[in-house]
C-alpha cells in the first residue's frame, strides 16, 4: 500500500527526510509543469520550482491536511509566482530610467574619450616645451610643482599653459572650418 501525500507531508514536516524526498519525487514534475504554465519560460519555471522546493520544508510545517496536498502545493506555487511577478514589477519600476541614464553615461564617456583622443593628437603638434608642460599639468600638478619637475619658474609654466591653450584653440577652429 502506497503512503498518501498527506501522510508524507506530515512526516516531512516533522523532519523525515525520506518522506520529503518521496514527496518531491512524486510532485516535482507536476510542480515544474505548473511553474512553467505560470511563468511561460523554462528558465523562470526552473528558478521558481527551485525556490519553492527550497522553501517547502519550512512551509510544510503549516500544512494542516484540510485540503489535498496537491491543492495546498498549487496554492503555494501560485502565491510564489505572484510574489515573483510583483518583485519583478517592482524591480522593473525601480530600474525604469536607468537605461536612459546608462545610455547618457556611455555617450558622455564616448565624448570624453573622443576629446582625450583629440587632445592627445593635438598635443603632438605642439612644440616640445608646451607639450611637456601641458602633459605635466594635466596630470593634476600645480604650476609650482610642474615648474620644479621641468626646472623652470612657476610663471613660465603659466605662460606655457596659456600658449598651449591658444595653439589648441587655433587647431580646433581650423579643424571645424
Amino acid at each position: 500500500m502506497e503512503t498518501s501525500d498527506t501522510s508524507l507531508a506530515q512526516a516531512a514536516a516533522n523532519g523525515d527526510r525520506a518522506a520529503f524526498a518521496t514527496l518531491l519525487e512524486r510532485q516535482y514534475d507536476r510542480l515544474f509543469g505548473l511553474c512553467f504554465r505560470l511563468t511561460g519560460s523554462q528558465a523562470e519555471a526552473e528558478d521558481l520550482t527551485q525556490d519553492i522546493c527550497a522553501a517547502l520544508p519550512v512551509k510544510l510545517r503549516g500544512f494542516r491536511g484540510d485540503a489535498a496536498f496537491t491543492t495546498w502545493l498549487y496554492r503555494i506555487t501560485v502565491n510564489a509566482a505572484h510574489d515573483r511577478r510583483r518583485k519583478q514589477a517592482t524591480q522593473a519600476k525601480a530600474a525604469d530610467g536607468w537605461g536612459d541614464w546608462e545610455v547618457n553615461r556611455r555617450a558622455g564617456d564616448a565624448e570624453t574619450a573622443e576629446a582625450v583622443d583629440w587632445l592627445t593628437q593635438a598635443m603632438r603638434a605642439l612644440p616640445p616645451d608646451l607639450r611637456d608642460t601641458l602633459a605635466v599639468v594635466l596630470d593634476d600638478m600645480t604650476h609650482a610643482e610642474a615648474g620644479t619637475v621641468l626646472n623652470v619658474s612657476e610663471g613660465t609654466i603659466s605662460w606655457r599653459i596659456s600658449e598651449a591653450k591658444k595653439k589648441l584653440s587655433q587647431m580646433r577652429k581650423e579643424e571645424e572650418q
Side-chain angles (χ1 to χ4, degrees), residues 3-14:
T3 309
S4 72
D5 288 345
T6 300
S7 296
L8 288 172
Q10 289 169 341
N14 291 324

Side-chain angles (χ1 to χ4, degrees), residues 53-118:
C53 289
L56 201 53
V58 173
K59 292 201 179 282
L60 278 170
R61 294 183 194 137
F63 177 66
R64 296 186 310 268
D66 297 340
F69 177 75
T70 52
T71 303
W72 177 84
L73 183 59
Y74 272 41
R75 175 74 349 228
I76 295 290
T77 304
V78 168
N79 287 341
H82 288 183
D83 290 346
R84 182 177 282 260
R85 278 190 217 117
R86 279 192 294 272
K87 184 178 179 183
Q88 288 172 337
T90 299
Q91 288 173 340
K93 187 175 181 182
D96 189 34
W98 281 102
D100 294 339
W101 177 84
E102 180 64 11
V103 167
N104 291 335
R105 184 191 68 78
R106 287 184 183 185
D109 287 352
E111 287 176 20
T112 300
E114 206 173 284
V116 168
D117 288 346
W118 180 86

